[in-house]
Amino acid sequence: MQRQDTYDHAAIESKWQERWADADVYRTSDDATDPSYVLAMFPYPSGDLHMGHVRNYTITDAYARYQRLQGEDVLHPMGWDSFGLPAENAAIEREINPREWTMDCIDTMKTQMQSMGFGYDWNREITTCEPDYYRWNQWLFKRFYEEGLAERKGGEVNWCPSCETVLADEQVEGEAELCWRCGTPVESRTLDQWFLTITDYADELLDGIDELDEWPDSVRGMQRNWIGRQEGATVEFEVPEFGGIEVFTTRLDTIYGATFFALAPGHELTQELIADDPELATQVETLDPDADGDEKRGVFTGEYAINPATGEEIPVYVADFVLSDVGTGALMGVPGHDQRDHEFATEYDIEIEQVVAPEDGEVDIDEAAYTGDGVLVDSGEYDSMESATARDRLVDDLDTAANHTQYRLRDWLISRQRYWGTPIPVVHCDECGPVMVPDDELPVELPEFVPTPTGNPLEEVESFVETECPECGGPAERETDTMDTFMDSSWYFLRFTSPDGEAVPFDTERANDWMPVDEYVGGIEHAIMHLLYSRFVTRAIGDMGLLDVREPFEHYLPQGMVQLDGTAMSSSKGNVVSPVEIMDEYGADTARLFMMGAARPSKDFDWTERGVRSSNEFIERLLGMVEAFAADETATADAGERPIDEYVAREIDATIDEASAGYENFRFNDALREARGLVSLLRRYREQATPDEHTFERGLHTAVRLFAPVTPHVTEECWTALGEDDFVAEADWPEAAHDADHEAERQLVANTREDVRHILDVANIEEPAAIEVVVAPEWKHRALAIAIASDEDVVGSVMADEELRERGEAAADYAKDLAERHQSLTEALAPAAEFAALERAAWLFEREFDAEIRLERASDAPDDVARGATPGRPAIEIHEG
Ligand SMILES: [Zn+2]
Ligand SMILES: [Zn+2]
């Protein structure tokens, strides 16, 4: 669609993209010293950029550009998280191979990123499905193994009995858990698989969260919950003929209230019991393990456990809310003091006993569990002991009890029974067991893709599977599992520091200098796994002596969503705006300006056509204004000393201060509002007077640079028009010329204008002839300063001043007024500064109210008018014609 009267964004944008590329503007030199490392989570190449990508990458790009203008070296790389199941599925659907499909997607997305004007150092591009990257996954896996951080053990997988294959969680569909391919109900199977023992780092990862003070609290909370450290105790309950069964509890003080015992369906004892009891086996089969399910279901086993504290027998259930991999897979049920146990007991008519009472007040234990600490009751010798003391004593007193810390965090299962991933560098030998492939034989490369109807295609490739044992030289089989793609993304940020390294995954010295990532931006859906795995791998690599940095990401910002009519854009909802179409119609700068101006990066916002158009029109106006000035169409003078020139000069400074703070703190919308305000001020300046050439030019130079991080193409065009030879992308950030309290000056002018509006409105004056503005006398400023400094007796302090006391009643009245507002008093500009600020802004009053402005000091004004003037709040008198 061709629209009229708009600038030629397509020509401008492609021109500058080419020039940047030719001049290598975004390249980070290897000898840069600790560059500002700005990183967006690298994408999964899926086809086209969507709006979420565009927002994510515009945020980092704007920040990276801002840093570069600040004179910083900047590292702003991009790459592709290009292994994974979706590519494998897409390839099967399209009857091509995953590699081809992935590379096509990368081509498309890279072209689109370049059209958006993202300033990446493409020399550092990383593609995880390339052998020169994934060989280092294999190399690191071996180092993990050597450090005892990689283990082979049984792990549960989803198994389709009809396809005879392992399924990823994403391939199990719906609540009924059916195979995505054939619809057969999925079963669980135990297979030997590789785990990275992240649990060895549980405490360190948890404690490290305290130091991440530039992460959102919500994300820190999510990480803490995921690790889930609980301090408690283990204790055994004897089940006659079967022996002691261990449970973990954080509330050993409630053991006298244990009225039932529960096992996970997968617990060893459960398995033993059902082996001899087909009826029980059938009943257990109907249980669906689900800790969060509303309904708690269980099966009585016919067995009883002996409570080690009371010696009483309590019934043993198999219950669906007990998970095999949480705690010991068995628990003591204390319905009086645990809400989940309470629900279960109510359902199965099990006794509910109170053994802890709150310190004060009553609780009805039949209604709901009392879960707080308190004082023990009905607990034998522990009665009237406090909960915490009782816990310690019981650990000492019960034979099988011991203090124990438990975590929710599990070891990281990295084996995937899929083709499109990093081959795990292991060979299985009948004689030697699993043997690591020697370093000099890495990478173990993926063979050509052979589509298979079921299972893991790698198993079908004989030339891949059949090999020699590196240890004994006998025949052996290669491991056909590939690595979880989270492995690829858990250290890629290190590889960006030295992407071409052929002898090491990354250069230690450079990584030590360049890491951590200073600003990391990406979706909240990665706030747990990806960030936790990255933190773990970084620490583990550090402990191998390869890195000094412990935490990979200093500041993490999850960007908000782009919505349409209040709901997140998603292709399944069909409410998607295509970034490519927006780029074609309006250009990248418009899309970027609209997105960054609409909301803070962390907030959700609504995509609106109106907002896009208004951004486009603004860019056009800015360019028009610069071009008119450059073509000498804007009449200018060599004035410079008039109040209006002074006003504009100081507003330029104020805008620089505010916009810089906005960029610095990821409040780009505030920065852009300031920058737009400056452009609007320059327009009014030009309309009101023949602008001073130097001031006007400085204003334009400033505005262009303030927009440069967000609208990089059109600002290059402007910069050239202003006679600059270099790229604005490499210019210096503007600096304020005056050091002044801009905020107070702006507030004074805004308040005074507001007061004038109010009076005109109340007095119903439509055409004022003159507006008299009277600033407060010096003595009121002094009284204010004394009042602010005084602790309590404001009137006394003010009147203790001899000169003020001489002013008599006027001073006393003002002192009383100050005393009333004591808590909210704020410092005002000095009297001369106040007068000067209003004098510079007089033209704005004249422009708005179309009246003469008479600015006066209190001593020059009539008493009845001057009386009302206070610091920061001049008196106003309107004269009608
Ligand atoms: Zn199936
Ligand atoms: Zn061998």
Side-chain angles (χ1 to χ4, degrees):
M1 185 176 16
Q2 206 56 45
R3 294 171 345 118
Q4 286 188 329
D5 294 324
T6 189
Y7 71 103
D8 190 353
H9 59 79
I12 290 177
E13 293 181 355
S14 58
K15 172 173 80 185
W16 289 105
Q17 285 156 15
E18 274 172 37
R19 292 194 187 172
W20 291 329
D22 289 347
D24 249 347
V25 168
Y26 305 109
R27 183 165 198 159
T28 314
S29 158
D30 278 346
D31 51 26
T33 304
D34 192 18
S36 174
Y37 192 168
V38 184
L39 187 64
M41 288 180 185
F42 66 163
Y44 180 76
S46 53
D48 284 302
L49 286 188
H50 58 65
M51 223 34 113
H53 288 131
V54 172
R55 189 179 190 199
N56 190 169
Y57 310 147
T58 305
I59 293 166
T60 52
D61 191 54
Y63 191 78
R65 287 174 180 278
Y66 166 71
Q67 287 291 314
R68 198 171 281 113
L69 290 167
Q70 286 283 344
E72 294 284 325
D73 281 327
V74 171
L75 174 61
H76 186 222
M78 184 41 78
W80 312 98
D81 192 9
S82 51
F83 269 141
L85 191 56
E88 199 166 329
N89 292 342
I92 293 168
E93 248 171 61
R94 291 168 178 75
E95 295 184 341
I96 53 176
N97 72 57
R99 184 181 173 79
E100 202 179 314
W101 187 81
T102 302
M103 291 305 172
D104 279 354
C105 289
I106 290 176
D107 272 354
T108 306
M109 288 172 81
K110 188 168 175 180
T111 305
Q112 290 170 356
M113 284 179 177
Q114 284 165 333
S115 312
M116 282 301 297
F118 298 140
Y120 297 127
D121 180 354
W122 287 110
N123 294 297
R124 296 181 183 275
E125 182 177 3
I126 282 173
T127 306
T128 59
C129 65
E130 297 284 16
D132 68 0
Y133 184 83
Y134 70 68
R135 70 175 295 181
W136 299 112
N137 284 341
Q138 296 172 341
W139 188 90
L140 285 169
F141 172 82
K142 290 188 60 189
R143 304 291 88 79
F144 273 76
Y145 181 77
E146 287 158 10
E147 298 293 326
L149 292 169
E151 270 178 25
R152 191 168 166 81
K153 58 186 179 185
E156 285 190 15
V157 295
N158 307 303
W159 176 261
C160 173
S162 156
C163 300
E164 299 195 318
T165 186
V166 172
L167 301 177
D169 286 343
E170 301 86 342
Q171 296 175 314
V172 178
E173 294 185 336
E175 297 228 336
E177 304 193 331
L178 305 177
C179 168
W180 69 307
R181 208 185 261 138
C182 70
T184 306
V186 168
E187 294 173 359
S188 164
R189 266 203 182 184
T190 304
L191 281 187
D192 271 351
Q193 304 184 71
W194 288 100
F195 290 81
L196 298 186
T197 56
I198 186 173
T199 51
D200 291 355
Y201 281 74
D203 282 319
E204 235 195 273
L205 289 168
L206 185 68
D207 296 341
I209 296 170
D210 295 342
E211 313 291 319
L212 299 174
D213 50 12
E214 290 185 50
W215 285 33
D217 282 342
S218 58
V219 174
R220 297 163 78 189
M222 285 154 97
Q223 296 245 322
R224 284 195 187 98
N225 281 339
W226 192 260
I227 296 169
R229 178 162 69 192
Q230 288 184 308
E231 312 282 351
T234 51
V235 63
E236 283 183 11
F237 280 60
E238 181 80 12
V239 178
E241 291 175 39
F242 295 94
I245 308 295
E246 189 173 78
V247 301
F248 171 80
T249 174
T250 57
R251 294 299 305 273
L252 193 60
D253 56 316
T254 65
I255 193 168
Y256 276 77
T259 52
F260 71 95
F261 194 84
L263 300 168
H267 193 279
E268 262 179 42
L269 178 56
T270 307
Q271 298 302 317
E272 216 175 311
L273 292 171
I274 61 178
D276 296 336
D277 186 345
E279 199 182 322
L280 182 64
T282 317
Q283 287 176 306
V284 168
E285 199 117 298
T286 65
L287 297 175
D288 177 25
D290 175 14
D292 299 323
D294 290 337
E295 218 179 313
K296 314 268 177 289
R297 295 176 56 246
V299 179
F300 178 50
T301 60
E303 301 294 333
Y304 290 84
I306 296 166
N307 185 328
T310 62
E312 283 168 18
E313 289 191 335
I314 56 177
V316 177
Y317 286 79
V318 177
D320 60 5
F321 69 89
V322 190
L323 297 185
S324 308
D325 61 350
V326 175
T328 63
L331 60 79
M332 63 175 199
V334 185
H337 302 285
D338 180 284
Q339 192 51 35
R340 216 176 33 175
D341 297 350
H342 194 279
E343 286 166 29
F344 188 81
T346 308
E347 181 72 29
Y348 291 96
D349 233 355
I350 300 168
E351 227 178 307
I352 300 174
E353 284 177 10
Q354 178 171 5
V355 293
V356 176
E359 297 270 2
D360 38 38
E362 297 264 310
V363 287
D364 181 357
I365 219 77
D366 292 326
E367 267 312 299
Y370 170 64
T371 56
D373 274 0
V375 175
L376 270 65
V377 295
D378 283 333
S379 298
E381 60 183 292
Y382 304 94
D383 276 0
S384 55
M385 204 176 274
E386 287 185 355
S387 289
T389 316
R391 285 194 284 270
D392 288 344
R393 282 282 298 277
L394 281 155
V395 168
D396 290 342
D397 295 352
L398 297 175
D399 285 346
T400 60
N403 284 318
H404 184 74
T405 304
Q406 177 184 294
Y407 301 86
R408 177 170 177 250
L409 183 68
R410 306 284 82 159
D411 279 336
W412 174 13
L413 193 170
I414 60 157
S415 300
R416 294 291 181 276
Q417 292 72 33
R418 311 302 323 169
Y419 168 80
W420 194 231
T422 302
I424 294 177
V426 169
V427 164
H428 295 280
C429 169
D430 282 344
E431 298 298 315
C432 317
V435 179
M436 293 289 140
V437 174
D439 280 357
D440 60 11
E441 289 176 27
L442 299 182
V444 175
E445 284 200 46
L446 277 178
E448 269 306 297
F449 178 69
V450 183
T452 49
T454 61
N456 178 355
L458 278 182
E459 288 176 359
E460 310 298 323
V461 186
E462 266 180 38
S463 59
F464 177 80
V465 175
E466 287 174 9
T467 185
E468 251 176 33
C469 171
E471 239 165 66
C472 68
E477 291 196 342
R478 222 176 259 293
E479 169 93 41
T480 55
D481 285 353
T482 53
M483 291 183 202
D484 180 6
T485 56
F486 274 122
M487 185 69 195
D488 311 355
S489 56
S490 65
W491 69 279
Y492 77 113
F493 41 87
L494 296 169
R495 183 72 179 170
F496 277 135
T497 64
S498 42
D500 304 319
E502 285 177 7
V504 283
F506 59 89
D507 182 289
T508 293
E509 203 178 317
R510 197 175 305 144
N512 282 341
D513 186 38
W514 288 13
M515 287 289 291
V517 174
D518 296 289
E519 307 293 341
Y520 197 36
V521 181
I524 190 78
E525 68 275 18
H526 297 301
I528 298 181
M529 302 296 216
H530 164 59
L531 296 182
L532 195 64
Y533 292 149
S534 299
R535 296 181 59 221
F536 161 55
V537 168
T538 300
R539 281 170 187 270
I541 287 177
D543 289 339
M544 293 167 197
L546 298 174
L547 187 67
D548 292 341
V549 174
R550 304 300 287 178
E551 288 288 346
F553 312 119
E554 177 123 0
H555 176 213
Y556 165 55
L557 172 81
Q559 82 274 10
M561 278 185 300
V562 185
Q563 305 176 319
L564 203 58
D565 303 324
T567 43
M569 284 189 192
S570 85
S571 43
S572 61
K573 290 192 199 120
N575 63 339
V576 172
V577 177
S578 149
V580 177
E581 280 171 30
I582 297 295
M583 269 190 274
D584 286 347
E585 189 175 352
Y586 294 100
D589 282 342
T590 294
R592 296 170 58 119
L593 179 60
F594 169 59
M595 283 200 164
M596 295 301 101
R600 276 185 200 191
S602 56
K603 302 281 184 213
D604 299 343
F605 77 94
D606 250 22
W607 184 272
T608 65
E609 185 70 21
R610 201 165 55 95
V612 174
R613 234 179 286 127
S614 123
S615 299
N616 185 252
E617 286 159 8
F618 174 81
I619 291 174
E620 194 183 351
R621 277 202 303 279
L622 174 64
L623 182 60
M625 198 171 187
V626 169
E627 285 177 341
F629 174 78
D632 282 332
E633 288 163 21
T634 306
T636 53
D638 191 7
E641 313 241 314
R642 298 165 300 176
I644 187 172
D645 306 322
E646 187 64 10
Y647 179 86
V648 173
R650 293 171 84 106
E651 267 303 302
I652 293 171
D653 290 342
T655 306
I656 292 169
D657 286 351
E658 295 292 322
S660 306
Y663 277 117
E664 200 62 58
N665 299 307
F666 285 87
R667 288 185 285 103
F668 302 162
N669 56 328
D670 292 347
L672 293 169
R673 189 177 347 93
E674 284 289 334
R676 283 176 101 133
L678 176 58
V679 173
S680 146
L681 175 69
L682 293 174
R683 181 175 49 76
R684 284 175 288 153
Y685 181 33
R686 191 183 58 188
E687 287 167 5
Q688 185 75 11
T690 303
D692 169 56
E693 185 177 355
H694 299 291
T695 308
F696 194 77
E697 189 177 13
R698 177 168 170 255
L700 288 177
H701 267 83
T702 299
V704 166
R705 281 175 292 171
L706 296 183
F707 279 105
V710 173
T711 58
H713 310 89
V714 75
T715 48
E716 292 289 5
E717 195 72 11
C718 291
W719 199 240
T720 305
L722 288 171
E724 299 289 346
D725 293 331
D726 301 328
F727 292 108
V728 74
E730 296 181 314
D732 292 330
W733 192 247
E735 272 180 45
H738 308 78
D739 191 19
D741 189 349
H742 302 299
E743 205 180 318
E745 290 180 6
R746 283 177 158 193
Q747 198 60 53
L748 169 71
V749 172
N751 287 347
T752 311
R753 287 171 79 181
E754 185 54 41
D755 286 349
V756 173
R757 275 180 219 128
H758 180 70
I759 295 169
L760 291 176
D761 186 44
V762 170
N764 202 15
I765 301 169
E766 291 200 348
E767 290 183 5
I771 301 170
E772 206 174 341
V773 177
V774 182
V775 300
E778 194 273 339
W779 68 265
K780 283 193 179 173
H781 282 268
R782 218 178 52 254
L784 173 66
I786 293 172
I788 290 175
S790 90
D791 286 339
E792 38 195 55
D793 181 11
V794 174
V795 175
S797 310
V798 170
M799 297 314 281
D801 182 283
E802 195 177 330
E803 199 197 317
L804 290 171
R805 202 164 54 239
E806 277 170 18
R807 302 214 163 250
E809 210 174 314
D813 286 349
Y814 186 50
K816 274 181 224 154
D817 177 39
L818 290 171
E820 273 168 33
R821 296 184 291 121
H822 188 209
Q823 295 307 320
S824 57
L825 291 177
T826 50
E827 279 179 40
L829 292 168
E834 186 170 304
F835 189 88
L838 287 166
E839 192 174 39
R840 291 190 295 267
W843 67 283
L844 289 171
F845 289 78
E846 282 164 13
R847 206 179 141 86
E848 179 175 355
F849 304 111
D850 196 19
E852 183 201 345
I853 298 300
R854 290 185 210 142
L855 181 63
E856 293 169 304
R857 294 180 175 83
S859 54
D860 302 331
D863 273 353
D864 59 329
V865 181
R867 197 175 300 135
T870 58
R873 210 90 205 195
I876 292 159
E877 178 85 354
I878 311 272
H879 300 273
E880 291 190 74

